[in-house]
Amino acid sequence: MRSNLNFFSDEKFRSIFFQTLVIGLFALGIYFIVTTTSYNLEKRNIATGWRFLSDPAGFDISFSPFLDFKSTDTHLKVYFVGILNTLLISVCGCIAATILGFLIGIVRLSSNWLLSRVAYVYVEFTRNVPLLLQIILWYSILIKLPRIKQALEFFDSFFVSNRGIYSPRPIFENGFSYVFIAFILALISSYILKRWAKKRQDETGKQFPVISSSFGMIVLLPLLLFFIIGSPLSFDYPTLKGFNFKGGMVIRPEFIAMFLALTIYTAAFISETVRSGIMSVTKGQREASGSLGLKKNWIMRLIIIPQALRVIVPPLTSQYLNLTKNSSLGIAVGYADLVHGFGGISLNQTGQAIECMVIVMATYLTISLTISVFMNIYNRSIQFKEK
Amino acid sequence: MNDITESRKPPVATTGILGWFRINLFSNWFNSLISIFVLYILFQFVPWILNWTIFAADFKYNFNGEQIINREMCSRVLDPENGGACWAIIYVRFYQFMYGFYPREEVWRVNLSYIMLAVAVVPLLFDKFPIRKHFLKFTYIFPIIAFFLLNGGLGLESVSTNKWGGLLVTLVLGCTGIALAFPLGIILALGRRSDLPVISMMCTLFIEFIRGVPLITLLFFGMVMLPLFLPEGIDMDGLARVLVAVTLFQSAYMAEVIRGGLQAIPQGQYEAARSIGLSYWQMNKKVVLPQAIRISIPSIVNTSIGLFKDTTLVIIVGLLDLLGIGRGALADTTWLGLAYEVYFFVALVFFIFTFAMSRYSLYLEKKLKTGINMGAD
Amino acid sequence: MSEDSIISLQKVNKWFGDFHVLQDVDLEVKKKERIVVCGPSGSGKSTMIRCINRLEEHQEGTIIVDGIELTGNLKNIDSVRKEVGMVFQQFNLFPHLSVKENITLAPIWVKKMPKSEAEELAMQQLEIVKIPEQADKYPGQLSGGQQQRVAIARSLAMKPNIMLFDEPTSALDPEMIKEVLDVMIDLAEGGMTMIVVTHEMGFAKTVADRMVFMDEGKIVEEAVPEKFFNNPDSDRTKLFLSQILNH
């Protein structure tokens, strides 16, 4: 006789029971929250639904380099301006931080003790001071720049003031599209050149200076065409009229502060990633390639960097993610990113906190998950093939 | 054969001070050029910085010997060419930086909490001293004591959290956040690795959601949305709301770090524990978690450093932490314009805490000789 | 220095910090000679052969390889490295390249060989080390013995005049040592000048023209194998042999 086959001892039953319990509690919790929230919203006369997106915003956005924005534009447009601004600072920041980070990382590995110590000090200071403080610090320095009337002048065309950097705005005249086409053609040709050079090397063994020639092509060809056509590029110079500059274009101190802080802060982390990536390639690899007679720069290009990149890329991508999320701190200095405009002002104006927050969070989630997915695909494709 | 020769000293130019200079700074002409250039730059900047922050600076009195009570009396306002930093602003407002607006008669409670915090943390950091067990008991009850000390109740006058500010808020957020995020992170990590698909999915979704959004959005969520979720009459304290958001945020990152530690444990450990009859919870408590945490301690400390720095974000939702008090001081017309002094001071305080934590992490790594970094940063 | 010495070390001294790791080392190696260097750990034997292809720098003394003196001159160092091949204890294969690519790398980039020619050369070397079928696999997919043989093939592809082996079998599981030693014996019988640092005394007895025993940075004894194993001059040699041969 089977004694006391308690239902609760059966593993399968237990797991189903337990999970159902959890789902039930969760559903109960959701129900509770939803009802309380609707009650509270009603009580405070807050609307729900997505209609507010087509309502006029009623406020101005100070920084909208891509779209023209008027206060009569809708909240939906506020959202798009916000995304564009967020992407702008994120992309600029990621590019600059990568360049700076790699430079500092390599400097940290330098045999010159002084240089590597100075880089070390930079990294330690930047990593230990909160990013928000750094953003605020840069901003407070930038707004201490001279006022417009006493702006610092560079080459009669750049003016640095506390309201931003005024610079000439390029006006692309008719012929310029040809220059642009020439640039694209140069890019394509250098790609073709690279493939031709590799083929040639495979067949004859001779090497071709691909990097310097493509660089020359990409820079010189469009430049040559530019002058031949007659320099189809003019500039609208900023000129001081009264209390402001007319003409030209301006880079706002909010943007500059965010850019500087994000770049410098993220570059410190990237430099550590780069450093440990390069150090992770064992000394033996260097010795083996050296004893085969390979010269130093070939060793770097063919042996060290391919292996180092495998270690560097995953943490590098999370740094990019962090930078993108950190761009939301722009609200502290008034940079009109997604959180500031749509998540801040729109939210306050309409009171529809839940809808706005949901949209903002969903947007960031999408960006994060996209980057993660691509990173996982890339990671899987470069794994060392093992047994 | 060569039995006659003995060990000699290496040639002079390769060791000792001269050797060090030659190898590290002047090994070839390029390096020498760089060394000279860097030294030149250092000699330009370092004396100037030292001068501004220490030698020419006012700490309490200006160069006339008067005690400084507003910005007009700072040496660098009276004599812009020669004056250094006017640290008087820190000196005068020091109480606020440390305690915010905590009533002065009750501030002994905060001081007591600070001291007890130091005592409570000691057994967590160092494990080789005799009466550690007793210290640990204190560590467990410390949070409760601190709560009543700072908040009030039990015969002590209650001090509303609106009055808390400065370093007090930063430490409360930082320490409580780390202390709560740690067990939560363990639960989430275990949940994510659970065999029960519902639990695993829920934990994964939660972790990935939190890691995908900026902390600011969660702070807004806490401040603005949380009150909407609560039934009428129940009000949640502003600081508590922020604490909830910060803890949830941190627990997701902590969970990933611990999950890395769990993954690094060989399958054999799990199998051995199960085969001697341990239940799921016993296995985790006695075998798996101790090892997993040991491996991931350096990453845990790194994540905690991140949390500590992230506490500054609360100024965006209106809380007055150390940075917030600093900004408040700057807005005061008495001290207008002394931004560099304030920000430098705030940066210095943060730097001290975080640098200490990272040195501790290095010490731990050396001690454990593992230092396997698991995905946090 | 005698006329047919292909490697000449004269009064070579090296320090690691304050530690005098090579003390007045003198060694002459003739063409086609097979030298086996042995000695306790820390005796400087690895350091000595690593000085021959400039993986380590000597502070005093002269090292001349095939007529080229090893100094700080980078051109000289490169020329020497093209003549000297090295096989490491830890194999040091390039994990991100296939076996074939590991071998063709240096011929293509250093000797500027066309790809097809290099690949033919690679397959020849793989035949010599007896694993041509592994050409398209990656190092992580091979056993230790196979990896070391690929490492030997990789060095041989540069057609060196001299091969240095730094404890080539010390990191291998016992059952794989023989396959590597067999390849090295074939190489020796083919006339390659070799300096091998190893503990494998069976191999030494088969192949060595001369045994060199080092201890505490000095060459204590040099002799032909018959004399070295049966009737060594120095007591230290006797002690070392008794420790290494009796288990």
Side-chain angles (χ1 to χ4, degrees):
Chain A
M1 180 179 95
R2 291 219 267 194
S3 59
N4 285 1
L5 239 190
N6 202 333
F7 272 129
F8 280 99
S9 317
D10 180 32
E11 204 173 305
K12 212 170 179 187
F13 177 83
R14 272 181 78 180
S15 78
I16 297 182
F17 175 78
F18 188 60
Q19 289 178 85
T20 322
L21 189 66
V22 168
I23 297 182
L25 283 172
F26 188 66
L28 208 68
I30 298 281
Y31 173 76
F32 176 72
I33 289 180
V34 167
T35 40
T36 321
T37 314
S38 340
Y39 173 76
N40 281 331
L41 286 176
E42 236 184 85
K43 223 180 137 244
R44 296 167 208 210
N45 248 328
I46 299 175
T48 53
W50 309 101
R51 256 172 308 122
F52 75 97
L53 287 171
S54 44
D55 288 338
F59 58 90
D60 255 316
I61 298 184
S62 59
F63 183 77
S64 179
F66 300 111
L67 301 173
D68 282 320
F69 189 85
K70 306 173 286 291
S71 54
T72 47
D73 284 325
T74 63
H75 285 292
L76 190 61
K77 199 159 184 197
V78 174
Y79 172 73
F80 280 117
V81 173
I83 289 196
L84 287 173
N85 285 345
T86 297
L87 288 175
L88 174 68
I89 188 84
S90 304
V91 170
C92 292
C94 284
I95 296 177
T98 309
I99 298 175
L100 185 60
F102 269 84
L103 260 165
I104 307 267
I106 293 176
V107 163
R108 279 278 276 135
L109 293 167
S110 152
S111 54
N112 186 314
W113 183 88
L114 258 183
L115 209 54
S116 101
R117 281 283 124 172
V118 166
Y120 171 74
V121 167
Y122 153 76
V123 169
E124 280 304 307
F125 269 105
T126 322
R127 294 206 308 173
N128 283 317
V129 175
L131 176 58
L132 187 56
L133 180 53
Q134 293 185 40
I135 295 177
I136 295 179
L137 194 60
W138 281 110
Y139 190 65
S140 63
I141 294 177
L142 286 171
I143 56 176
K144 282 211 163 80
L145 289 170
R147 273 193 266 251
I148 293 212
K149 286 214 149 175
Q150 289 107 18
L152 301 169
E153 229 178 82
F154 293 96
F155 312 119
D156 232 353
S157 5
F158 292 92
F159 300 92
V160 177
S161 78
N162 67 350
R163 293 232 243 122
I165 298 180
Y166 291 86
S167 82
R169 185 166 56 93
I171 301 178
F172 301 103
E173 284 157 17
N174 265 327
F176 195 81
S177 39
Y178 292 114
V179 177
F180 188 66
I181 293 177
F183 177 69
I184 301 286
L185 281 176
L187 282 177
I188 298 179
S189 322
S190 60
Y191 177 69
I192 297 179
L193 180 71
K194 184 168 162 231
R195 293 191 59 165
W196 168 85
K198 179 106 193 9
K199 191 150 175 273
R200 179 169 172 257
Q201 183 183 21
D202 283 348
E203 282 167 10
T204 65
K206 295 197 214 142
Q207 290 156 12
F208 191 81
V210 174
I211 296 185
S212 32
S213 24
S214 11
F215 187 72
M217 238 191 343
I218 295 176
V219 169
L220 289 177
L221 217 65
L223 212 63
L224 214 64
L225 195 59
F226 179 78
F227 284 116
I228 293 179
I229 299 187
S231 312
L233 181 72
S234 61
F235 287 94
D236 182 13
Y237 287 89
T239 41
L240 188 56
K241 286 209 169 69
F243 286 107
N244 215 335
F245 279 98
K246 283 259 181 283
M249 66 178 190
V250 62
I251 311 174
R252 296 252 169 243
E254 293 85 21
F255 181 84
I256 303 176
M258 287 295 289
F259 177 72
L260 286 173
L262 282 173
T263 302
I264 294 179
Y265 183 75
T266 313
F269 289 91
I270 292 182
S271 78
E272 281 299 285
T273 305
V274 167
R275 188 174 77 103
S276 59
I278 295 184
M279 291 202 322
S280 76
V281 181
T282 62
K283 193 165 156 222
Q285 293 286 304
R286 261 171 265 253
E287 294 187 337
S289 31
S291 24
L292 286 171
L294 280 165
K295 296 221 174 101
K296 253 194 155 171
N297 60 334
W298 293 130
I299 299 182
M300 256 294 157
R301 247 185 77 180
L302 299 172
I303 308 291
I304 309 282
I305 291 187
Q307 293 187 56
L309 276 180
R310 279 169 171 79
V311 179
I312 292 178
V313 168
L316 185 66
T317 338
S318 17
Q319 286 308 325
Y320 289 158
L321 264 175
N322 284 343
L323 192 147
T324 310
K325 287 187 283 175
N326 283 335
S327 69
S328 58
L329 292 178
I331 192 174
V333 294
Y335 179 72
D337 78 318
L338 185 59
V339 173
H340 179 248
F342 189 75
I345 308 184
S346 286
L347 189 152
N348 278 325
Q349 295 268 2
T350 64
Q352 301 199 232
I354 299 181
E355 285 87 347
C356 286
M357 273 292 115
V358 164
I359 295 180
V360 169
M361 287 189 179
T363 313
Y364 275 106
L365 261 178
T366 315
I367 301 178
S368 304
L369 289 176
T370 316
I371 299 183
S372 291
V373 163
F374 277 115
M375 189 209 15
N376 279 330
I377 295 178
Y378 174 76
N379 224 7
R380 225 167 298 158
S381 70
I382 58 168
Q383 284 306 309
F384 291 154
K385 298 189 181 54
E386 305 209 340
K387 278 198 259 251
Chain B
M1 291 269 110
N2 294 342
D3 284 327
I4 327 163
T5 56
E6 298 166 347
S7 286
R8 282 186 278 132
K9 285 271 165 198
V12 174
T14 60
T15 50
I17 297 186
L18 223 68
W20 184 90
F21 265 98
R22 213 193 111 217
I23 300 174
N24 288 314
L25 293 181
F26 300 107
S27 58
N28 56 42
W29 66 267
F30 184 65
N31 256 348
S32 314
L33 232 76
I34 295 187
S35 300
I36 296 178
F37 180 67
V38 172
L39 280 171
Y40 173 73
I41 303 238
L42 284 179
F43 276 119
Q44 295 292 335
F45 277 115
V46 174
W48 176 79
I49 294 181
L50 281 177
N51 185 47
W52 191 82
T53 49
I54 303 180
F55 299 118
D58 309 328
F59 287 88
K60 196 168 157 190
Y61 301 100
N62 64 13
F63 67 100
N64 285 333
E66 308 161 311
Q67 187 167 4
I68 306 176
I69 52 168
N70 61 44
R71 68 181 301 273
E72 307 302 325
M73 297 174 66
C74 284
S75 299
R76 76 176 175 105
V77 173
L78 295 171
D79 181 8
E81 292 294 305
N82 297 321
C86 192
W87 299 117
I89 177 176
I90 312 290
Y91 178 79
V92 166
R93 288 202 153 215
F94 194 72
Y95 183 84
Q96 266 173 19
F97 276 107
M98 293 294 116
Y99 310 108
F101 301 103
Y102 211 89
R104 290 206 183 228
E105 326 80 66
E106 308 288 334
V107 88
W108 62 270
R109 289 151 57 176
V110 181
N111 288 329
L112 189 57
S113 305
Y114 283 166
I115 298 176
M116 293 203 300
L117 175 68
V119 171
V121 159
V122 162
L124 293 176
L125 300 182
F126 305 104
D127 51 335
K128 295 235 165 62
F129 60 96
I131 36 174
R132 182 165 183 249
K133 277 209 164 81
H134 304 286
F135 272 88
L136 265 180
K137 286 194 204 130
F138 177 73
T139 311
Y140 284 133
I141 54 171
F142 164 74
I144 308 180
I145 303 181
F147 176 76
F148 283 114
L149 260 187
L150 295 172
N151 230 325
L154 281 197
L156 291 169
E157 194 180 311
S158 90
V159 178
S160 147
T161 56
N162 304 355
K163 299 222 182 76
W164 302 11
L167 190 60
L168 173 61
V169 166
T170 301
L171 284 179
V172 164
L173 284 173
C175 296
T176 320
I178 297 173
L180 288 178
F182 185 61
L184 255 174
I186 294 178
I187 296 178
L188 281 170
L190 288 174
R192 186 166 180 170
R193 283 168 57 91
S194 159
D195 289 326
L196 305 175
V198 164
I199 309 282
S200 157
M201 196 180 59
M202 280 171 65
C203 289
T204 309
L205 282 176
F206 176 80
I207 293 176
E208 292 304 319
F209 170 76
I210 299 265
R211 277 161 46 100
V213 297
L215 177 56
I216 282 212
T217 54
L218 289 174
L219 285 175
F220 279 174
F221 172 88
M223 288 304 271
V224 173
M225 280 166 76
L226 215 50
L228 294 175
F229 291 170
L230 296 171
E232 253 204 288
I234 301 186
D235 228 350
M236 207 167 161
D237 185 77
L239 186 61
R241 272 181 265 163
V242 165
L243 206 49
V244 166
V246 161
T247 305
L248 286 179
F249 182 74
Q250 202 54 24
S251 61
Y253 288 84
M254 200 65 90
E256 283 300 276
V257 168
I258 296 176
R259 186 170 79 103
L262 289 170
Q263 279 177 331
I265 295 180
Q267 187 63 15
Q269 294 288 310
Y270 292 92
E271 294 174 348
R274 286 302 218 162
S275 53
I276 59 176
L278 294 178
S279 77
Y280 176 78
W281 293 107
Q282 287 171 326
M283 169 184 77
N284 277 316
K285 190 168 161 218
K286 295 279 177 197
V287 175
V288 172
L289 279 176
Q291 294 185 56
I293 293 176
R294 241 170 140 246
I295 298 179
S296 25
I297 282 188
S299 299
I300 293 180
V301 176
N302 271 333
T303 317
S304 307
I305 295 179
L307 169 64
F308 196 74
K309 291 188 294 174
D310 284 342
T311 58
T312 51
L313 264 70
V314 300
I315 66 172
I316 299 182
V317 289
L319 255 66
L320 289 174
D321 76 325
L322 189 62
L323 183 57
I325 294 285
R327 295 236 285 185
L330 285 177
D332 186 351
T333 44
T334 326
W335 299 105
L336 206 56
L338 296 178
Y340 298 136
E341 285 86 343
V342 169
Y343 292 144
F344 184 90
F345 174 70
V346 173
L348 187 65
V349 173
F350 271 102
F351 187 82
I352 294 175
F353 277 100
T354 55
F355 193 70
M357 286 199 264
S358 62
R359 286 293 118 175
Y360 176 70
S361 166
L362 282 176
Y363 155 78
L364 266 182
E365 262 182 76
K366 263 191 214 116
K367 216 177 78 167
L368 298 175
K369 274 195 209 206
T370 51
I372 310 168
N373 261 313
M374 321 260 180
D377 217 337
Chain C
M1 176 180 146
S2 45
E3 264 89 57
D4 48 14
S5 280
I6 195 172
I7 301 180
S8 170
L9 276 75
Q10 293 164 23
K11 289 225 162 315
V12 171
N13 280 284
K14 178 168 173 60
W15 286 262
F16 279 135
D18 270 341
F19 175 54
H20 198 170
V21 60
L22 290 177
Q23 302 182 22
D24 281 338
V25 170
D26 289 306
L27 185 68
E28 301 285 331
V29 180
K30 295 204 261 291
K31 228 176 158 166
K32 296 201 185 194
E33 242 196 312
R34 288 95 52 141
I35 313 267
V36 169
V37 182
C38 60
S41 319
S43 54
K45 38 190 212 299
S46 286
T47 313
M48 181 180 75
I49 68 166
R50 283 157 67 92
C51 283
I52 297 180
N53 72 346
R54 201 69 174 185
L55 286 180
E56 302 284 354
E57 256 180 62
H58 59 285
Q59 276 106 2
E60 275 182 21
T62 326
I63 301 185
I64 303 181
V65 177
D66 208 3
I68 308 170
E69 186 180 342
L70 270 183
T71 57
N73 185 321
L74 289 175
K75 269 206 146 133
N76 285 357
I77 297 178
D78 280 339
S79 323
V80 165
R81 286 187 175 165
K82 286 197 195 127
E83 310 256 336
V84 177
M86 182 143 189
V87 174
F88 299 85
Q89 185 178 356
Q90 300 296 337
F91 333 139
N92 288 332
L93 292 182
F94 307 131
H96 59 297
L97 301 175
S98 73
V99 162
K100 202 194 298 181
E101 287 166 347
N102 259 273
I103 304 178
T104 57
L105 182 76
I108 291 179
W109 291 93
V110 178
K111 289 198 168 162
K112 302 197 172 39
M113 226 185 251
K115 186 166 170 188
S116 46
E117 205 183 306
E119 292 193 337
E120 233 184 270
L121 175 63
M123 293 310 292
Q124 281 169 6
Q125 305 308 316
L126 283 174
E127 297 274 354
I128 294 178
V129 300
K130 303 199 176 64
I131 39 171
E133 70 282 0
Q134 307 289 353
D136 293 317
K137 294 251 182 77
Y138 280 80
Q141 298 170 303
L142 302 179
S143 74
Q146 290 169 327
Q147 287 188 51
Q148 192 62 299
R149 287 189 276 160
V150 171
I152 297 177
R154 183 176 64 174
S155 292
L156 288 179
M158 289 299 279
K159 302 264 188 263
N161 294 328
I162 302 164
M163 282 289 275
L164 304 173
F165 292 83
D166 187 0
E167 304 213 34
T169 56
S170 298
L172 295 176
D173 291 333
E175 65 270 17
M176 294 192 256
I177 295 183
K178 181 176 186 303
E179 66 196 55
V180 174
L181 289 180
D182 283 342
V183 165
M184 288 165 68
I185 293 175
D186 283 344
L187 213 56
E189 285 170 0
M192 173 69 78
T193 314
M194 290 162 76
I195 306 184
V196 182
V197 173
T198 185
H199 297 300
E200 296 290 326
M201 293 300 140
F203 168 80
K205 285 186 191 162
T206 314
V207 145
D209 292 320
R210 211 186 337 154
M211 298 292 300
V212 171
F213 173 66
M214 283 184 74
D215 192 9
E216 291 180 357
K218 300 197 261 285
I219 292 184
V220 173
E221 183 158 356
E222 276 180 71
V224 293
E226 291 83 47
K227 174 149 197 280
F228 186 81
F229 287 107
N230 299 322
N231 194 11
D233 284 333
S234 158
D235 285 332
R236 273 144 87 187
T237 318
K238 290 187 188 137
L239 178 62
F240 175 72
L241 284 174
S242 70
Q243 289 167 334
I244 200 173
L245 288 176
N246 283 343
H247 60 268

